[in-house]
Amino acid sequence: MSSNQVPHLHGPSGECCITGGSLKDGWSYLMPSDKLLLDSEVAFAFSDDVQPHIAEQAEALRSLYLTKSGSSLSQDELDTTHHKSNALTVVVKRGLQVVGCASLDERTGRLSDVVVRPSARRSQVGRSLIDAVKNHAIQSQKFDKIIVEPDTSESKAFFEKMGFELTEDSTDEKYTSEIVHMECKL
């Protein structure tokens, strides 16, 4: 029986990287073999201006890792949300791979579909996404707060760490959904 050899690549400054594959989403990856960290890049684009390979990776992240169980929108409505001209797509890339993405409605300040690849969690990717969105909102001066509706306790805790607070309608007794409304004033 033969075994697969893991190919090694050498970067421009001589560092050795190991390549691999078989991630849940089917993309291969490049991992430094030492303590070298890959830089993250945050990019903004309106939904219709996103490069096709970036849009494909962002959609794959959304469909694989985003929970929509508490959402009141149908799948058709969710699909068209990303194609509206007022939706701004924010992505965090490491190399050519998208490791996190979010959608920001430029009219209302509503942040949705915030998702980070599990292997990139706890590595400041989520913080980079939120900080970039906050900075963009402050510079654009189109709204005075960012609104989110986290649907899991983990995402609620994350947004609380990022400075979001529960709105008054979330603490109302008639509010029975798992999804809460949070906002961050700019």
Side-chain angles (χ1 to χ4, degrees):
M1 179 190 309
S2 65
S3 64
N4 291 337
Q5 296 293 323
V6 176
H8 298 292
L9 302 175
H10 296 282
S13 50
E15 71 275 4
C16 181
C17 296
I18 301 172
T19 61
S22 307
L23 291 177
K24 178 180 177 184
D25 49 22
W27 295 327
S28 63
Y29 59 93
L30 181 67
M31 196 69 201
S33 59
D34 59 1
K35 300 287 183 203
L36 175 74
L37 293 176
L38 299 173
D39 290 332
S40 296
E41 170 191 346
V42 180
F44 290 92
F46 285 100
S47 293
D48 52 354
D49 294 333
V50 177
Q51 296 175 345
H53 72 282
I54 299 296
E56 183 180 320
Q57 289 184 48
E59 276 304 312
L61 278 177
R62 287 181 182 115
S63 64
L64 286 169
Y65 303 117
L66 198 61
T67 60
K68 288 293 181 184
S69 58
S71 178
S72 60
L73 298 176
S74 69
Q75 188 60 43
D76 291 336
E77 291 170 318
L78 290 171
D79 291 340
T80 58
T81 302
H82 306 299
H83 302 295
K84 292 180 182 176
S85 60
N86 62 335
L88 185 69
T89 299
V90 184
V91 296
V92 176
K93 299 187 302 183
R94 287 201 176 140
L96 296 175
Q97 186 178 49
V98 174
V99 292
C101 63
S103 297
L104 176 67
D105 187 322
E106 286 270 274
R107 291 178 297 143
T108 63
R110 184 176 183 277
L111 182 64
S112 62
D113 297 344
V114 179
V115 62
V116 175
R117 177 186 299 276
S119 62
R121 290 182 185 158
R122 305 202 191 324
S123 66
Q124 304 301 317
V125 171
R127 180 173 295 280
S128 297
L129 268 174
I130 301 303
D131 288 346
V133 168
K134 285 180 181 178
N135 291 336
H136 174 76
I138 290 168
Q139 290 174 357
S140 71
Q141 299 179 351
K142 292 183 180 180
F143 35 87
D144 60 348
K145 62 185 173 185
I146 299 171
I147 303 162
V148 295
E149 296 177 346
D151 60 351
T152 65
S153 58
E154 182 182 70
S155 59
K156 180 180 175 264
F158 168 74
F159 284 115
E160 285 174 340
K161 282 189 221 173
M162 298 295 112
F164 287 78
E165 297 175 350
L166 291 173
T167 60
E168 290 178 15
D169 62 340
S170 290
T171 57
D172 197 357
E173 289 178 13
K174 66 181 180 184
Y175 192 77
T176 59
S177 173
E178 292 292 321
I179 299 175
V180 295
H181 297 273
M182 301 178 81
E183 63 183 36
C184 179
K185 295 191 189 298
L186 303 174

